[in-house]
Coordinates of all heavy atoms in Angstrom, one line a residue:
M1 N 27.2 -10.5 17.4 CA 26.3 -10.3 16.3 C 25.7 -8.9 16.4 O 25.2 -8.5 17.5 CB 25.1 -11.3 16.2 CG 25.6 -12.7 15.9 SD 24.1 -13.8 16.0 CE 23.9 -13.9 14.3
G2 N 25.7 -8.1 15.3 CA 25.1 -6.8 15.3 C 23.6 -6.9 15.2 O 23.1 -7.8 14.6
Q3 N 22.9 -5.9 15.6 CA 21.5 -5.8 15.5 C 21.1 -5.3 14.2 O 21.7 -4.3 13.7 CB 20.9 -4.8 16.6 CG 19.4 -4.7 16.6 CD 18.9 -3.8 17.7 OE1 19.7 -3.3 18.4 NE2 17.6 -3.6 17.7
K4 N 20.2 -6.1 13.5 CA 19.8 -5.7 12.2 C 18.7 -4.6 12.3 O 17.8 -4.7 13.1 CB 19.2 -6.9 11.5 CG 18.8 -6.6 10.0 CD 18.4 -7.9 9.3 CE 18.0 -7.5 7.9 NZ 18.4 -8.4 7.0
T5 N 18.9 -3.5 11.5 CA 17.9 -2.4 11.6 C 17.0 -2.5 10.5 O 17.2 -3.1 9.4 CB 18.7 -1.0 11.5 OG1 19.4 -1.0 10.2 CG2 19.6 -0.8 12.7
A6 N 15.8 -2.0 10.7 CA 14.7 -2.1 9.8 C 15.0 -1.1 8.6 O 15.7 -0.1 8.9 CB 13.4 -1.8 10.4
S7 N 14.5 -1.3 7.5 CA 14.6 -0.3 6.4 C 13.9 0.9 6.8 O 12.9 0.9 7.7 CB 13.9 -0.9 5.1 OG 12.5 -0.9 5.3
P8 N 14.2 2.1 6.3 CA 13.5 3.3 6.7 C 12.1 3.2 6.4 O 11.3 3.8 7.2 CB 14.2 4.4 5.8 CG 15.5 3.8 5.3 CD 15.3 2.3 5.3
E9 N 11.7 2.6 5.3 CA 10.3 2.5 5.0 C 9.5 1.7 6.0 O 8.4 2.1 6.4 CB 10.0 1.8 3.6 CG 10.6 2.7 2.4 CD 12.1 2.5 2.2 OE1 12.7 1.7 2.8 OE2 12.6 3.4 1.5
L10 N 10.1 0.6 6.4 CA 9.4 -0.2 7.5 C 9.4 0.5 8.8 O 8.3 0.5 9.5 CB 10.1 -1.6 7.6 CG 9.5 -2.5 8.7 CD1 8.1 -2.8 8.4 CD2 10.4 -3.8 8.7
E11 N 10.5 1.2 9.1 CA 10.4 1.9 10.4 C 9.4 3.0 10.4 O 8.7 3.3 11.3 CB 11.8 2.5 10.7 CG 11.8 3.2 12.1 CD 13.2 3.6 12.6 OE1 14.2 3.4 11.9 OE2 13.2 4.2 13.6
L12 N 9.3 3.8 9.2 CA 8.3 4.8 9.1 C 6.9 4.2 9.2 O 6.0 4.8 9.9 CB 8.5 5.6 7.8 CG 7.5 6.7 7.6 CD1 7.7 7.8 8.7 CD2 7.7 7.3 6.2
C13 N 6.7 3.1 8.6 CA 5.4 2.5 8.8 C 5.0 2.2 10.2 O 3.9 2.4 10.6 CB 5.3 1.2 7.9 SG 3.7 0.4 7.9
R14 N 6.0 1.6 10.9 CA 5.8 1.3 12.4 C 5.5 2.6 13.1 O 4.6 2.6 14.0 CB 7.0 0.6 13.0 CG 7.2 -0.8 12.5 CD 8.5 -1.3 13.0 NE 8.7 -2.7 12.5 CZ 9.8 -3.3 12.5 NH1 10.9 -2.7 13.0 NH2 9.9 -4.5 12.1
R15 N 6.2 3.7 12.9 CA 6.0 4.9 13.6 C 4.7 5.6 13.3 O 4.1 6.1 14.2 CB 7.2 5.9 13.3 CG 8.5 5.4 13.8 CD 8.6 5.0 15.2 NE 9.9 4.5 15.6 CZ 10.2 3.9 16.7 NH1 9.3 3.7 17.6 NH2 11.4 3.5 16.9
V16 N 4.3 5.5 12.0 CA 3.0 6.1 11.6 C 1.9 5.3 12.3 O 1.0 5.9 12.9 CB 2.8 6.0 10.1 CG1 1.4 6.4 9.7 CG2 3.8 7.0 9.4
D17 N 2.0 4.0 12.4 CA 1.0 3.2 13.1 C 0.9 3.6 14.5 O -0.1 3.8 15.1 CB 1.4 1.7 13.0 CG 0.4 0.8 13.7 OD1 -0.8 0.9 13.5 OD2 0.9 0.0 14.5
E18 N 2.1 3.8 15.2 CA 2.1 4.2 16.6 C 1.5 5.6 16.8 O 0.8 5.8 17.7 CB 3.5 4.2 17.1 CG 4.1 2.8 17.3 CD 5.6 2.8 17.6 OE1 6.2 3.9 17.6 OE2 6.1 1.7 17.9
V19 N 1.9 6.5 16.0 CA 1.4 7.9 16.1 C -0.2 7.9 15.9 O -0.9 8.6 16.6 CB 2.1 8.9 15.1 CG1 1.4 10.2 15.0 CG2 3.5 9.0 15.5
L20 N -0.6 7.2 14.9 CA -2.1 7.2 14.7 C -2.8 6.6 15.9 O -3.8 7.2 16.3 CB -2.4 6.4 13.4 CG -2.0 7.0 12.1 CD1 -2.4 6.1 10.9 CD2 -2.5 8.4 11.9
Y21 N -2.3 5.6 16.4 CA -3.0 4.9 17.5 C -2.8 5.6 18.9 O -3.8 5.8 19.6 CB -2.4 3.5 17.7 CG -3.1 2.6 18.7 CD1 -4.4 2.2 18.5 CD2 -2.5 2.3 19.9 CE1 -5.1 1.5 19.5 CE2 -3.1 1.6 20.9 CZ -4.4 1.2 20.6 OH -5.1 0.4 21.6
Y22 N -1.6 6.1 19.2 CA -1.4 6.7 20.5 C -1.6 8.2 20.5 O -2.0 8.7 21.6 CB 0.0 6.3 21.0 CG 0.2 4.9 21.3 CD1 0.9 4.1 20.5 CD2 -0.4 4.3 22.4 CE1 1.1 2.7 20.7 CE2 -0.3 2.9 22.6 CZ 0.4 2.1 21.8 OH 0.6 0.8 22.1
A23 N -1.3 8.9 19.4 CA -1.3 10.3 19.5 C -2.6 10.9 18.8 O -3.3 11.8 19.3 CB -0.1 10.9 18.8
W24 N -2.9 10.4 17.6 CA -4.1 10.9 16.9 C -5.4 10.4 17.5 O -6.2 11.2 18.0 CB -4.0 10.5 15.4 CG -5.1 11.0 14.6 CD1 -5.6 12.2 14.5 CD2 -6.0 10.1 13.7 NE1 -6.7 12.3 13.6 CE2 -6.9 11.0 13.1 CE3 -5.9 8.8 13.4 CZ2 -7.8 10.5 12.2 CZ3 -6.8 8.3 12.5 CH2 -7.8 9.2 11.9
D25 N -5.5 9.1 17.6 CA -6.6 8.4 18.3 C -7.9 9.1 18.4 O -8.4 9.5 19.5 CB -6.1 8.0 19.7 CG -7.0 7.0 20.5 OD1 -7.8 6.3 19.8 OD2 -7.0 7.1 21.7
P26 N -8.6 9.4 17.3 CA -9.8 10.3 17.4 C -11.0 9.6 18.1 O -11.8 10.4 18.7 CB -10.2 10.5 15.9 CG -9.5 9.3 15.2 CD -8.3 9.0 16.0
I27 N -11.0 8.3 18.2 CA -12.1 7.7 19.0 C -11.8 7.3 20.4 O -12.6 6.7 21.1 CB -12.8 6.6 18.2 CG1 -11.8 5.5 17.9 CG2 -13.4 7.1 16.9 CD1 -12.4 4.3 17.2
G28 N -10.6 7.5 20.8 CA -10.1 7.3 22.2 C -10.0 5.8 22.5 O -10.5 5.5 23.6
V29 N -9.4 5.0 21.7 CA -9.2 3.6 22.0 C -7.8 3.2 22.4 O -7.6 2.0 22.6 CB -9.8 2.7 20.9 CG1 -11.2 2.9 20.7 CG2 -9.0 2.9 19.6
S30 N -6.9 4.1 22.5 CA -5.5 3.7 22.7 C -5.3 3.0 24.0 O -4.2 2.4 24.2 CB -4.6 4.9 22.6 OG -4.9 5.9 23.5
W31 N -6.2 3.1 24.9 CA -6.1 2.4 26.2 C -6.4 0.9 26.1 O -6.1 0.2 27.0 CB -7.0 3.1 27.2 CG -8.4 2.9 26.8 CD1 -9.1 3.8 26.0 CD2 -9.3 1.9 27.1 NE1 -10.4 3.4 25.8 CE2 -10.6 2.2 26.4 CE3 -9.2 0.7 27.8 CZ2 -11.6 1.3 26.4 CZ3 -10.3 -0.2 27.8 CH2 -11.5 0.2 27.1
C32 N -6.9 0.5 25.0 CA -7.5 -0.9 24.8 C -6.6 -1.7 23.9 O -6.6 -1.5 22.7 CB -8.9 -0.8 24.3 SG -9.7 -2.4 24.1
P33 N -5.8 -2.7 24.4 CA -5.0 -3.5 23.6 C -5.7 -4.2 22.5 O -5.2 -4.4 21.4 CB -4.4 -4.5 24.6 CG -4.4 -3.8 25.9 CD -5.7 -3.0 25.9
A34 N -7.0 -4.5 22.7 CA -7.8 -5.2 21.7 C -8.1 -4.4 20.5 O -8.4 -4.9 19.4 CB -9.1 -5.7 22.2
A35 N -7.9 -3.1 20.6 CA -8.2 -2.1 19.5 C -6.9 -1.7 18.8 O -6.9 -0.7 18.0 CB -9.0 -0.9 20.0
R36 N -5.8 -2.4 19.0 CA -4.5 -2.0 18.5 C -4.5 -1.7 17.0 O -3.8 -0.9 16.5 CB -3.5 -2.9 18.9 CG -2.0 -2.6 18.5 CD -1.7 -1.2 19.2 NE -0.4 -0.8 18.8 CZ -0.1 0.0 17.7 NH1 -1.2 0.4 16.9 NH2 1.1 0.4 17.4
D37 N -5.3 -2.4 16.2 CA -5.3 -2.3 14.8 C -6.4 -1.3 14.2 O -6.6 -1.3 13.1 CB -5.5 -3.7 14.1 CG -6.8 -4.3 14.4 OD1 -7.5 -3.8 15.3 OD2 -7.1 -5.4 13.8
E38 N -7.0 -0.6 15.1 CA -8.1 0.3 14.8 C -7.9 1.2 13.6 O -8.7 1.4 12.8 CB -8.6 1.1 16.0 CG -9.8 2.0 15.8 CD -11.0 1.2 15.5 OE1 -11.2 0.1 16.0 OE2 -11.9 1.7 14.7
Y39 N -6.7 1.8 13.6 CA -6.4 2.8 12.5 C -5.5 2.4 11.4 O -5.1 3.1 10.6 CB -5.8 4.1 13.2 CG -6.6 4.6 14.3 CD1 -6.1 4.7 15.6 CD2 -8.0 5.0 14.1 CE1 -6.9 5.1 16.7 CE2 -8.7 5.4 15.2 CZ -8.2 5.5 16.4 OH -9.0 6.0 17.5
Q40 N -5.2 1.1 11.4 CA -4.3 0.6 10.4 C -4.8 0.7 8.9 O -4.0 0.7 8.0 CB -3.9 -0.9 10.7 CG -3.0 -0.9 11.9 CD -2.6 -2.3 12.3 OE1 -3.1 -3.3 11.8 NE2 -1.6 -2.4 13.3
A41 N -6.1 0.8 8.8 CA -6.6 1.0 7.4 C -6.2 2.3 6.8 O -6.2 2.5 5.6 CB -8.1 0.9 7.4
Y42 N -5.8 3.2 7.6 CA -5.4 4.6 7.1 C -3.9 4.7 6.9 O -3.4 5.7 6.4 CB -5.9 5.6 8.1 CG -7.3 5.5 8.4 CD1 -7.7 5.1 9.7 CD2 -8.3 5.6 7.5 CE1 -9.1 4.9 10.0 CE2 -9.7 5.3 7.7 CZ -10.0 5.0 9.0 OH -11.4 4.8 9.3
L43 N -3.1 3.7 7.3 CA -1.7 3.7 7.1 C -1.2 3.9 5.7 O -0.4 4.7 5.4 CB -1.1 2.4 7.6 CG -0.7 2.3 9.1 CD1 -0.4 0.9 9.5 CD2 0.4 3.2 9.4
P44 N -1.8 3.2 4.7 CA -1.3 3.3 3.3 C -1.4 4.8 2.8 O -0.5 5.3 2.2 CB -2.1 2.3 2.5 CG -2.6 1.3 3.5 CD -2.8 2.1 4.8
T45 N -2.5 5.4 3.1 CA -2.7 6.8 2.6 C -1.8 7.8 3.3 O -1.1 8.6 2.7 CB -4.1 7.2 2.7 OG1 -5.0 6.3 2.0 CG2 -4.3 8.6 2.2
V46 N -1.7 7.6 4.6 CA -0.8 8.5 5.4 C 0.7 8.3 4.9 O 1.4 9.3 4.7 CB -0.9 8.3 6.9 CG1 0.2 9.1 7.6 CG2 -2.3 8.7 7.3
L47 N 1.1 7.0 4.7 CA 2.5 6.8 4.2 C 2.7 7.4 2.9 O 3.7 8.0 2.6 CB 2.7 5.3 4.2 CG 3.0 4.6 5.5 CD1 3.0 3.1 5.4 CD2 4.3 5.1 6.1
A48 N 1.7 7.2 2.0 CA 1.8 7.8 0.6 C 1.9 9.3 0.7 O 2.8 9.9 -0.1 CB 0.6 7.4 -0.2
L49 N 1.2 9.9 1.5 CA 1.3 11.4 1.7 C 2.7 11.8 2.2 O 3.3 12.7 1.6 CB 0.2 11.9 2.7 CG -1.2 11.9 2.1 CD1 -2.2 12.1 3.3 CD2 -1.4 12.8 1.0
L50 N 3.2 11.1 3.2 CA 4.5 11.4 3.7 C 5.6 11.1 2.6 O 6.5 11.9 2.4 CB 4.8 10.5 4.9 CG 3.9 10.8 6.1 CD1 4.3 9.8 7.2 CD2 4.1 12.2 6.6
Q51 N 5.5 10.0 1.9 CA 6.4 9.7 0.8 C 6.4 10.7 -0.3 O 7.3 11.0 -1.0 CB 6.3 8.3 0.3 CG 6.5 7.3 1.3 CD 8.0 7.2 1.8 OE1 8.8 8.0 1.4 NE2 8.2 6.3 2.7
D52 N 5.2 11.3 -0.6 CA 5.0 12.4 -1.6 C 5.5 13.7 -1.2 O 5.3 14.7 -1.9 CB 3.5 12.4 -2.0 CG 3.1 11.2 -2.9 OD1 4.0 10.4 -3.3 OD2 1.9 11.0 -3.1
D53 N 6.0 13.8 0.1 CA 6.5 15.0 0.6 C 5.5 16.2 0.7 O 5.8 17.3 0.5 CB 7.8 15.5 -0.2 CG 9.0 14.6 0.1 OD1 9.1 14.1 1.3 OD2 9.7 14.3 -0.8
V54 N 4.2 15.8 1.0 CA 3.3 16.9 1.1 C 3.5 17.5 2.5 O 4.1 16.9 3.4 CB 1.8 16.4 1.0 CG1 1.6 15.7 -0.3 CG2 1.5 15.4 2.2
G55 N 3.1 18.6 2.7 CA 3.3 19.3 4.0 C 2.3 18.9 5.1 O 1.3 18.2 4.8
A56 N 2.5 19.3 6.3 CA 1.7 19.0 7.4 C 0.2 19.4 7.2 O -0.7 18.6 7.5 CB 2.2 19.7 8.7
P57 N -0.1 20.5 6.5 CA -1.5 20.9 6.3 C -2.3 19.8 5.5 O -3.4 19.5 5.8 CB -1.5 22.2 5.6 CG -0.2 22.8 6.1 CD 0.7 21.7 6.2
S58 N -1.6 19.2 4.5 CA -2.2 18.2 3.7 C -2.5 16.9 4.4 O -3.5 16.3 4.3 CB -1.4 17.9 2.4 OG -1.3 19.1 1.6
V59 N -1.5 16.5 5.2 CA -1.7 15.3 6.1 C -2.8 15.5 7.1 O -3.7 14.7 7.3 CB -0.3 14.9 6.8 CG1 -0.6 13.7 7.7 CG2 0.7 14.6 5.7
A60 N -2.8 16.7 7.7 CA -3.8 17.1 8.6 C -5.2 17.1 8.0 O -6.2 16.6 8.6 CB -3.5 18.4 9.3
A61 N -5.3 17.6 6.8 CA -6.6 17.6 6.1 C -7.1 16.2 5.9 O -8.3 15.9 6.1 CB -6.5 18.3 4.8
Y62 N -6.2 15.3 5.5 CA -6.6 13.9 5.4 C -7.1 13.3 6.7 O -8.1 12.6 6.8 CB -5.5 13.0 4.8 CG -5.8 11.5 4.8 CD1 -6.8 11.0 3.9 CD2 -5.3 10.7 5.8 CE1 -7.1 9.7 3.9 CE2 -5.6 9.3 5.8 CZ -6.5 8.9 4.9 OH -6.9 7.5 4.9
L63 N -6.4 13.5 7.8 CA -6.7 13.0 9.1 C -8.1 13.6 9.5 O -8.9 12.8 10.0 CB -5.7 13.3 10.2 CG -4.3 12.7 10.0 CD1 -3.3 13.2 11.0 CD2 -4.4 11.1 10.0
D64 N -8.4 14.8 9.3 CA -9.6 15.4 9.6 C -10.8 14.9 8.7 O -11.9 14.6 9.2 CB -9.6 17.0 9.4 CG -9.4 17.7 10.7 OD1 -9.4 17.1 11.8 OD2 -9.1 18.9 10.7
E65 N -10.4 14.6 7.5 CA -11.4 14.0 6.6 C -11.8 12.6 7.1 O -13.0 12.2 7.1 CB -10.9 13.9 5.2 CG -11.9 13.5 4.1 CD -11.9 11.9 3.9 OE1 -10.9 11.3 4.1 OE2 -13.0 11.4 3.6
V66 N -10.9 11.8 7.5 CA -11.2 10.5 8.1 C -12.0 10.6 9.3 O -13.1 9.9 9.4 CB -9.8 9.8 8.4 CG1 -10.1 8.5 9.2 CG2 -9.1 9.4 7.1
A67 N -11.6 11.5 10.2 CA -12.4 11.6 11.4 C -13.9 12.1 11.2 O -14.8 11.7 11.8 CB -11.7 12.6 12.4
T68 N -14.0 13.1 10.3 CA -15.4 13.6 10.1 C -16.2 12.8 9.1 O -17.3 12.4 9.4 CB -15.3 15.0 9.5 OG1 -14.5 15.1 8.3 CG2 -14.6 16.0 10.6
A69 N -15.7 12.5 7.9 CA -16.5 11.8 6.9 C -16.6 10.3 7.2 O -17.7 9.7 6.9 CB -15.8 12.0 5.5
R70 N -15.6 9.7 7.7 CA -15.6 8.2 7.9 C -16.1 7.8 9.3 O -16.7 6.7 9.5 CB -14.3 7.6 7.5 CG -14.0 7.8 6.1 CD -12.7 7.1 5.7 NE -12.2 7.6 4.5 CZ -11.1 7.1 3.9 NH1 -10.4 6.2 4.5 NH2 -10.7 7.6 2.7
M71 N -15.7 8.7 10.3 CA -16.1 8.3 11.7 C -17.2 9.1 12.2 O -17.6 8.8 13.3 CB -14.8 8.5 12.5 CG -13.7 7.6 12.1 SD -12.2 7.9 13.2 CE -11.0 6.8 12.4
G72 N -17.6 10.1 11.5 CA -18.7 11.0 12.0 C -18.4 11.8 13.2 O -19.3 12.2 13.9
L73 N -17.1 12.2 13.4 CA -16.7 13.0 14.5 C -16.6 14.5 14.1 O -16.6 14.7 12.9 CB -15.3 12.5 15.0 CG -15.3 11.0 15.5 CD1 -13.9 10.6 15.7 CD2 -16.2 10.8 16.7
E74 N -16.5 15.3 15.1 CA -16.2 16.7 14.7 C -14.7 16.9 14.4 O -13.9 16.2 14.9 CB -16.6 17.6 15.9 CG -18.1 17.7 16.1 CD -18.5 18.8 17.0 OE1 -17.7 19.8 17.0 OE2 -19.5 18.7 17.6
A75 N -14.5 17.9 13.5 CA -13.1 18.1 13.1 C -12.3 18.7 14.3 O -12.9 19.4 15.1 CB -13.1 19.1 11.9
R76 N -11.1 18.3 14.3 CA -10.2 18.8 15.4 C -8.9 19.3 14.6 O -7.9 18.6 14.7 CB -9.9 17.8 16.4 CG -11.1 17.4 17.2 CD -10.8 16.3 18.2 NE -9.7 16.6 19.1 CZ -9.0 15.7 19.7 NH1 -9.3 14.4 19.6 NH2 -8.0 16.0 20.6
P77 N -9.0 20.4 13.9 CA -7.9 20.8 13.0 C -6.6 21.0 13.7 O -5.5 20.6 13.2 CB -8.4 22.0 12.3 CG -9.6 22.4 13.0 CD -10.1 21.3 13.8
E78 N -6.6 21.5 14.9 CA -5.3 21.8 15.6 C -4.7 20.5 16.0 O -3.5 20.3 15.9 CB -5.6 22.6 16.9 CG -6.1 24.1 16.6 CD -7.6 24.1 16.4 OE1 -8.3 23.1 16.8 OE2 -8.1 25.1 15.9
H79 N -5.5 19.5 16.5 CA -5.0 18.2 16.9 C -4.5 17.5 15.7 O -3.4 16.9 15.7 CB -6.1 17.4 17.6 CG -5.7 16.0 18.0 ND1 -4.8 15.8 18.9 CD2 -6.1 14.8 17.5 CE1 -4.6 14.5 19.1 NE2 -5.3 13.9 18.2
S80 N -5.2 17.5 14.6 CA -4.7 16.9 13.3 C -3.4 17.5 12.8 O -2.6 16.8 12.4 CB -5.8 17.0 12.2 OG -6.9 16.2 12.6
L81 N -3.3 18.8 13.0 CA -2.1 19.5 12.5 C -0.9 19.0 13.4 O 0.2 18.8 12.9 CB -2.2 21.0 12.5 CG -1.0 21.7 11.9 CD1 -0.7 21.3 10.5 CD2 -1.3 23.2 12.0
R82 N -1.1 19.0 14.7 CA 0.0 18.5 15.6 C 0.4 17.1 15.3 O 1.5 16.7 15.3 CB -0.4 18.7 17.1 CG -0.4 20.1 17.6 CD -0.6 20.1 19.1 NE -1.7 19.4 19.6 CZ -2.9 19.9 19.8 NH1 -3.2 21.2 19.4 NH2 -3.9 19.2 20.3
T83 N -0.6 16.3 15.0 CA -0.4 14.9 14.6 C 0.4 14.8 13.3 O 1.4 14.1 13.2 CB -1.7 14.1 14.5 OG1 -2.4 14.2 15.7 CG2 -1.4 12.6 14.2
A84 N 0.1 15.6 12.4 CA 0.8 15.6 11.1 C 2.2 16.1 11.3 O 3.1 15.6 10.7 CB 0.0 16.5 10.1
Q85 N 2.4 17.1 12.1 CA 3.8 17.6 12.4 C 4.6 16.5 13.0 O 5.8 16.4 12.7 CB 3.7 18.9 13.2 CG 3.1 20.1 12.5 CD 2.8 21.2 13.3 OE1 2.5 21.0 14.5 NE2 2.7 22.4 12.8
L86 N 4.0 15.8 13.9 CA 4.7 14.7 14.6 C 5.1 13.6 13.5 O 6.2 13.1 13.6 CB 3.9 14.1 15.7 CG 4.5 12.9 16.5 CD1 5.8 13.2 17.1 CD2 3.5 12.4 17.5
L87 N 4.2 13.3 12.7 CA 4.5 12.3 11.6 C 5.7 12.8 10.8 O 6.6 12.0 10.4 CB 3.3 12.0 10.8 CG 2.1 11.3 11.4 CD1 0.8 11.4 10.6 CD2 2.5 9.9 11.6
L88 N 5.7 14.1 10.4 CA 6.7 14.6 9.6 C 8.1 14.6 10.3 O 9.1 14.4 9.7 CB 6.4 15.9 9.0 CG 5.3 15.9 8.0 CD1 4.7 17.3 7.7 CD2 5.8 15.3 6.7
E89 N 8.0 14.9 11.6 CA 9.2 14.8 12.4 C 9.8 13.4 12.5 O 11.0 13.3 12.4 CB 8.9 15.3 13.9 CG 8.7 16.8 13.9 CD 8.2 17.2 15.3 OE1 8.5 16.5 16.3 OE2 7.6 18.3 15.4
W90 N 8.9 12.4 12.6 CA 9.4 11.0 12.6 C 10.1 10.7 11.2 O 11.1 10.1 11.2 CB 8.3 10.1 12.9 CG 8.2 9.7 14.3 CD1 7.2 10.0 15.2 CD2 9.2 9.0 15.1 NE1 7.4 9.5 16.4 CE2 8.7 8.9 16.4 CE3 10.4 8.5 14.8 CZ2 9.4 8.3 17.4 CZ3 11.1 7.9 15.8 CH2 10.6 7.7 17.1
K91 N 9.4 11.2 10.2 CA 10.0 10.9 8.8 C 11.4 11.5 8.7 O 12.3 10.9 8.3 CB 9.1 11.4 7.7 CG 9.7 11.2 6.3 CD 8.8 11.8 5.3 CE 9.6 11.6 4.0 NZ 9.0 12.4 2.9
R92 N 11.5 12.8 9.1 CA 12.8 13.4 9.1 C 13.9 12.7 9.9 O 15.0 12.5 9.5 CB 12.7 14.9 9.5 CG 12.2 15.8 8.5 CD 12.3 17.3 8.9 NE 11.4 17.6 10.0 CZ 10.2 18.0 9.9 NH1 9.6 18.0 8.8 NH2 9.5 18.3 11.0
E93 N 13.5 12.3 11.1 CA 14.4 11.6 12.0 C 14.8 10.3 11.4 O 16.0 10.0 11.4 CB 13.7 11.4 13.3 CG 14.5 10.5 14.3 CD 15.8 11.0 14.7 OE1 16.0 12.2 14.7 OE2 16.7 10.2 15.0
I94 N 13.9 9.5 10.9 CA 14.2 8.2 10.3 C 15.2 8.4 9.1 O 16.2 7.7 9.0 CB 13.0 7.5 9.9 CG1 12.2 7.1 11.2 CG2 13.3 6.3 9.1 CD1 10.8 6.6 11.0
Y95 N 14.8 9.3 8.2 CA 15.6 9.4 6.9 C 16.9 10.2 7.1 O 17.8 10.1 6.3 CB 14.8 10.0 5.9 CG 13.8 9.0 5.3 CD1 12.5 8.8 5.8 CD2 14.3 8.1 4.3 CE1 11.7 7.8 5.3 CE2 13.4 7.1 3.8 CZ 12.1 7.0 4.3 OH 11.3 6.0 3.8
S96 N 17.0 10.9 8.3 CA 18.3 11.6 8.5 C 19.4 10.6 8.9 O 20.6 11.0 8.9 CB 18.1 12.7 9.6 OG 17.9 12.1 10.9
R97 N 19.0 9.5 9.4 CA 20.0 8.4 9.8 C 20.6 7.7 8.6 O 21.6 7.0 8.8 CB 19.3 7.4 10.7 CG 18.7 7.9 11.9 CD 18.0 6.8 12.7 NE 17.0 7.3 13.6 CZ 16.0 6.6 14.0 NH1 15.9 5.3 13.6 NH2 15.1 7.1 14.8
Q98 N 20.1 8.0 7.4 CA 20.7 7.2 6.2 C 22.0 7.8 5.8 O 22.3 9.0 5.8 CB 19.6 7.4 5.1 CG 18.3 6.7 5.5 CD 18.5 5.2 5.9 OE1 19.0 4.5 5.1 NE2 18.0 4.9 7.1

C-alpha cells in the first residue's frame, strides 16, 4: 500500500502551525507541550496571506502586529521577516511538488 499524501493546502497549514510555534514563538512557549495550540488562532490569517501571494514584508508586518497589538510585546521586525521568509519557503517547497 502506498502512503497517502496530504493535500498541499493541508500540508501548508501544518507547516505554518509548526513555524509559528517553533520558529516565531514570540512569547517563548515552544518548550511546553501544553501550549502547543498557543498560536493557532493566527493560522487562518497567515494562510490567507500566503495564499494571496503577498510578499514576506506583508506577512512579517502581520506577525509584528500580532506580537505588539495583541500580545503587548515589542516589535521584532527582523525576526518576523525571517519567519515570513521561512513560511514562504515552505509554501514554495510544498507547491513545487505538484
Side-chain angles (χ1 to χ4, degrees):
M1 294 178 101
Q3 182 179 359
K4 185 173 179 143
T5 59
S7 70
E9 294 81 12
L10 181 57
E11 185 173 356
L12 182 60
C13 183
R14 288 176 183 161
R15 299 304 179 190
V16 169
D17 178 53
E18 291 171 352
V19 168
L20 293 180
Y21 185 69
Y22 293 108
W24 180 53
D25 191 24
I27 60 175
V29 296
S30 63
W31 60 271
C32 180
R36 184 61 184 89
D37 63 350
E38 183 65 35
Y39 307 120
Q40 289 178 351
Y42 310 113
L43 272 170
T45 300
V46 173
L47 284 170
L49 290 168
L50 294 174
Q51 296 295 1
D52 288 346
D53 289 324
V54 303
S58 295
V59 176
Y62 172 71
L63 295 175
D64 263 349
E65 185 273 328
V66 167
T68 58
R70 298 185 193 178
M71 297 179 184
L73 303 171
E74 291 197 26
R76 294 176 56 199
E78 299 84 14
H79 179 68
S80 293
L81 185 58
R82 283 192 308 274
T83 302
Q85 290 166 338
L86 180 57
L87 290 165
L88 289 167
E89 287 172 22
W90 267 116
K91 180 185 176 193
R92 280 189 294 275
E93 171 63 25
I94 291 165
Y95 284 92
S96 71
R97 300 179 203 156
Q98 300 302 306

